[in-house]
């Protein structure tokens, strides 16, 4: 997977270095992202970047569930600042209506979570703008960049809502809304360029020349990932059909914090690619064009979506309606599909995000992941999730392309603040990182883990570590729910209800509440149990209380 690279010639570096030293840190930040885009064929040709006078400050507001929207917002803010604008970057969480009304130019970057739902940190503002309490925004100009997944019916619904509600509140649209699919980087780069050009058109006073190479080594990004070597991989569970793997990667120079996620670029197995080739009767050695490069069809297919069929693919290839995967669906048209047509129609594989299960204070230049293998049957054939299947095939010494997806909404509080961590299954991963960090820093705050899985024997992820922390007193409480160890199934939400009085007492003394794992049904059921126990033991409205915790940054969810 590694690619040969070469440094620029020395005469070019000698010419560029003086120019680079004249740039500000923010300009260098923009430049590194710009050139990373060029390296991936996703940026515009090097040109003068238009800038605007700081007469109208820019507010960049983001609502993010997994961190993608935040990353796009941060890149835009850095580019705008480099262009000479006065920029404020803010999360929608707790953002006040008064501040929104005071804005002049507004860039909204927001994702859609689940089935058309707003991300947690955007819920309050989303509701406000849709109510009679929406502020007068007639002095505001705005642009919306929406992120989503077109495989869901309500694609980019939250972004559409913000776009409509801002206009309804009197704001003037600077650009047409952009709805970006899972492979959002090219669209984000183009939107950023268009927005900065639009802002500059109203006050063109200066330009920043983007034609140099940054000296500083930038952190790996989605567009420019790090090639990491596998140090170790081993199963954490015993039950066949419910495999969970612990993966350790060597990531020299990579920086991350507890709560962050690791983006992993997967590749399909040779067997799945060959099944597609057999179904199409295409030659895997046929040369196809992809991102301006020529490569074998076999290699190109390894990086495209083969385990899901999107409506766009069905339409472009003229496939029959119905269920089934690509190999089974295209046999009727195999004689008329060329390799290039197939590649052009398929969606590229997107990176998968995994909560990081380690703290750098403990593991140094390593990163650990906890990965459940997704397995399913398709027309009698066993298939695996693109990323989890890819990871399960890795061995020591293999390589994988990765980058860090910062998750600033999911951070540990001050050392003395207690934390309640609810993480069934692989949702326990970030809490292992939390405990490693708190152990390394000597944090005095109490720690409570609620963990659930199928069986105590064979499914208790990182059992010895949790038991050691409990014995040492670093883990204050451990509540377990193994659903299939008795006739009646027990889940973490039942444990919450049983220990509701203690949960309420922890919350009242300032505990931060974390939930990680599947959105449906776990996170939904946990939320309901929390609301009920708050009403029972706190004698107050549970939903209102949880919304207040959200606004205070004390109810934090990393769900998927």
């Amino acid at each position: 997977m590694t690619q040969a690279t070469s440094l620029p010639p020395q005469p070019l570096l000698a010419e560029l270095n003086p120019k680079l030293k004249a740039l500000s840190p923010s300009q260098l930040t923009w430049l590194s992202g710009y050139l990373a885009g060029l390296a991936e064929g996703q940026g515009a040709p090097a040109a003068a970047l238009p800038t605007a006078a700081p007469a109208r400050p820019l507010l960049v507001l983001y609502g993010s569930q997994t961190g993608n929207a935040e990353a796009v917002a941060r890149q835009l803010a850095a580019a705008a600042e480099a262009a000479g604008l006065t920029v404020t970057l803010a999360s929608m969480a707790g953002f006040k209506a008064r501040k929104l009304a005071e804005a002049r130019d507004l860039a909204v970057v927001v994702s859609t979570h689940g089935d058309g739902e707003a991300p947690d940190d955007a819920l309050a503002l989303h509701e406000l703008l849709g109510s009679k309490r929406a502020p007068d925004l007639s002095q505001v100009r705005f642009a919306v960049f929406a992120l989503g997944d077109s495989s869901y019916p309500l694609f980019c619904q939250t972004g559409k809502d913000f776009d409509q509600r801002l206009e309804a509140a009197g704001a003037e649209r600077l650009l047409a809304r952009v709805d970006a699919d899972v492979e959002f980087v090219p669209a984000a780069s183009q939107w950023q360029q268009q927005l900065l050009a639009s802002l500059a058109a109203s006050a063109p006073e200066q330009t920043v020349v983007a034609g140099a190479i940054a000296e500083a080594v930038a952190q790996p990004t989605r567009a420019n990932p790090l090639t990491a070597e596998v140090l170790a991989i081993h199963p954490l569970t015993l039950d066949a059909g419910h495999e969970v793997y612990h993966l350790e990667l060597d990531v020299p120079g990579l920086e991350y914090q507890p709560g962050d996620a690791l983006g992993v670029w997967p590749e399909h197995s040779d067997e799945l690619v060959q099944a597609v080739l057999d179904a199409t009767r295409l030659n895997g050695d046929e040369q196809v064009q992809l991102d301006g490069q020529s490569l074998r069809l076999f290699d190109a297919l390894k990086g495209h979506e083969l385990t899901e069929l999107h409506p766009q693919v069905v339409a472009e290839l003229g496939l029959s309606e119905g269920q089934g995967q690509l190999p089974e669906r295209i046999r009727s048209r195999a004689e008329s599909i060329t390799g290039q047509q197939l590649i052009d129609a398929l969606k590229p594989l997107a990176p998968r995000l995994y909560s990081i299960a380690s703290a750098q204070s403990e593991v140094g230049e390593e990163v650990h992941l906890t990965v459940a293998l997704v397995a399913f049957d398709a027309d009698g054939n066993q298939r695996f999730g693109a990323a989890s299947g890819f990871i399960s095939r890795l061995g020591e010494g293999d390589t994988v392309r990765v980058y860090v997806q910062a998750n600033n909404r999911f951070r540990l509080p001050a050392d003395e603040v207690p934390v309640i961590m609810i993480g069934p299954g692989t949702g326990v991963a970030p809490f292992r990182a939390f405990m490693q960090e708190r152990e390394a820093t000597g944090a005095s705050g109490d720690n409570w883990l609620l963990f659930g899985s199928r069986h105590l024997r064979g499914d208790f992820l990182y059992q010895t570590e949790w038991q050691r922390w409990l014995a040492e007193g670093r883990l204050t409480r451990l509540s377990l729910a193994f659903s299939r160890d008795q006739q009646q199934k027990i889940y973490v939400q039942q444990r919450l209800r049983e220990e509701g009085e203690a949960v309420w007492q922890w919350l009242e003394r300032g505990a931060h509440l974390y939930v990680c794992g599947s959105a449906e049904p776990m996170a939904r059921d946990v939320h309901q149990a929390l609301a009920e126990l708050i009403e029972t033991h706190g004698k107050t409205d549970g939903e209102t209380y949880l919304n207040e915790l959200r606004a205070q940054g004390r109810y934090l969810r990393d769900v998927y």
Side-chain angles (χ1 to χ4, degrees):
M1 295 183 189
T2 57
Q3 296 180 345
T5 59
S6 60
L7 293 174
Q10 288 299 323
L12 177 59
L13 289 176
E15 179 183 351
L16 292 176
N17 280 338
K19 299 178 181 178
L20 293 173
K21 291 178 180 178
L23 298 179
S24 69
S26 60
Q27 290 170 337
L28 287 173
T29 299
W30 178 87
L31 195 56
S32 64
Y34 179 86
L35 291 173
L38 289 181
E40 294 295 315
Q42 296 168 341
L49 173 69
T51 66
R56 291 180 64 95
L58 175 66
L59 170 62
V60 181
L61 202 56
Y62 63 86
S64 185
Q65 192 70 34
T66 63
N68 286 332
E70 180 179 353
V72 172
R74 288 187 177 279
Q75 185 179 31
L76 170 63
E81 190 175 74
L85 288 168
T86 300
V87 182
T88 299
L89 174 69
S91 167
M92 291 182 183
F95 198 81
K96 304 299 183 184
R98 176 180 55 81
K99 292 184 179 179
L100 191 61
E102 293 172 354
R104 290 299 174 261
D105 288 336
L106 170 66
V108 171
V109 185
V110 66
S111 63
T112 294
H113 177 58
D115 191 13
E117 300 169 9
D120 285 352
D121 55 4
L123 283 172
L125 188 61
H126 180 260
E127 181 179 352
L128 173 69
L129 288 175
S131 72
K132 293 181 179 179
R133 299 174 57 207
D136 177 11
L137 302 181
S138 56
Q139 302 300 314
V140 179
R141 302 186 305 179
F142 75 96
V144 174
F145 186 81
L147 292 91
D149 184 339
S150 61
S151 63
Y152 288 89
L154 298 178
F155 175 53
C156 287
Q157 185 60 50
T158 304
K160 294 173 182 177
D161 290 346
F162 271 100
D163 188 67
Q164 294 166 359
R165 293 175 185 182
L166 287 168
E167 183 181 38
E172 174 190 352
R173 187 178 285 104
L174 272 166
L175 295 176
R177 185 190 70 252
V178 172
D179 297 337
D181 211 338
V182 288
E183 187 49 54
F184 60 85
V185 174
S189 176
Q190 183 178 13
W191 177 74
Q192 175 181 298
Q193 295 279 339
Q194 291 174 341
L195 179 57
L196 292 180
S198 179
L199 293 172
S202 61
E205 292 194 355
Q206 56 181 335
T207 58
V208 175
V209 177
I213 297 174
E215 294 176 285
V217 178
Q219 280 287 298
T221 63
R222 178 184 172 120
N224 188 28
L226 170 73
T227 298
E229 182 179 347
V230 176
L231 297 175
I233 182 169
H234 59 80
L236 290 173
T237 55
L238 298 178
D239 289 350
H242 294 91
E243 294 93 337
V244 177
Y245 292 90
H246 174 76
L247 175 67
E248 299 180 1
L249 299 173
D250 182 28
V251 288
L254 198 70
E255 297 177 0
Y256 61 89
Q257 298 182 52
D260 286 344
L262 193 75
V264 175
W265 282 98
E267 289 187 355
H268 288 303
S269 67
D270 291 352
E271 292 77 13
L272 182 58
V273 171
Q274 191 59 52
V276 172
L277 292 171
D278 291 343
T280 57
R281 301 186 181 95
L282 291 171
N283 183 350
D285 291 327
E286 177 186 343
Q287 294 293 303
V288 295
Q289 295 297 311
L290 183 64
D291 296 331
Q293 296 182 337
S294 179
L295 69 164
R296 296 169 65 229
L297 175 60
F298 189 98
D299 296 328
L301 287 172
K302 297 189 79 169
H304 281 75
E305 186 61 72
L306 304 180
T307 57
E308 283 187 45
L309 272 183
H310 296 266
Q312 176 185 344
V313 178
V314 174
E316 290 191 18
L317 292 181
L319 304 181
S320 59
E321 296 296 333
Q323 301 300 316
Q325 289 185 284
L326 188 63
E328 292 75 21
R329 295 280 299 281
I330 61 179
R331 295 185 188 278
S332 63
R333 289 211 60 236
E335 71 281 357
S336 60
I337 295 176
T338 68
Q340 190 65 56
Q341 286 176 322
L342 183 59
I343 286 298
D344 290 344
L346 293 175
K347 296 182 66 172
L349 273 176
R352 271 49 167 185
L353 296 175
Y354 291 96
S355 297
I356 293 176
S358 56
Q360 285 200 296
S361 55
E362 171 70 19
V363 302
E365 292 192 327
E366 297 181 14
V367 64
H368 298 177
L369 299 181
T370 311
V371 180
L373 177 63
V374 176
F376 54 96
D377 183 84
D379 297 331
N381 298 311
Q382 188 176 39
R383 304 294 189 200
F384 301 100
S388 63
F390 168 68
I391 289 172
S392 72
R393 297 190 300 271
L394 294 172
E396 184 177 340
D398 287 342
T399 57
V400 55
R401 295 176 298 151
V402 301
Y403 65 96
V404 170
Q405 181 74 69
N407 189 355
N408 293 316
R409 302 175 304 99
F410 208 75
R411 293 282 185 246
L412 276 166
D415 286 354
E416 70 278 5
V417 176
V419 297
I420 301 174
M421 304 169 287
I422 305 170
T426 56
V428 78
F431 304 135
R432 179 177 185 259
F434 278 16
M435 288 302 298
Q436 286 184 353
E437 180 73 7
R438 288 205 136 185
E439 180 177 25
T441 60
S444 60
D446 290 337
N447 306 289
W448 184 353
L449 174 70
L450 293 100
F451 173 78
S453 193
R454 293 164 57 86
H455 301 287
L456 170 62
R457 182 180 180 275
D459 289 327
F460 191 175
L461 306 183
Y462 305 111
Q463 178 178 358
T464 57
E465 294 180 43
W466 294 114
Q467 290 177 331
R468 175 178 66 82
W469 281 320
L470 187 65
E472 293 174 350
R474 298 188 185 280
L475 185 63
T476 314
R477 296 181 71 129
L478 177 62
S479 301
L480 303 172
F482 294 102
S483 61
R484 289 164 176 78
D485 279 350
Q486 60 285 312
Q487 186 173 3
Q488 183 179 4
K489 293 181 179 180
I490 298 175
Y491 299 102
V492 288
Q493 56 266 30
Q494 183 172 338
R495 294 293 184 234
L496 281 169
R497 292 186 176 96
E498 292 171 353
E499 305 189 56
E501 177 63 30
V503 173
W504 170 251
Q505 293 299 330
W506 277 54
L507 292 176
E508 280 296 276
R509 62 189 181 95
H512 283 218
L513 180 62
Y514 298 86
V515 181
C516 183
S518 62
E520 295 291 341
M522 185 278 295
R524 180 198 62 206
D525 293 344
V526 163
H527 181 90
Q528 182 178 350
L530 288 167
E532 290 174 2
L533 74 85
I534 288 167
E535 291 180 2
T536 300
H537 300 283
K539 310 302 181 185
T540 187
D541 183 72
E543 289 294 339
T544 301
Y545 190 92
L546 288 172
N547 285 336
E548 291 173 352
L549 290 185
R550 269 202 193 98
Q552 297 167 15
R554 290 177 51 205
Y555 179 27
L556 306 162
R557 305 197 308 168
D558 184 5
V559 299
Y560 36 85

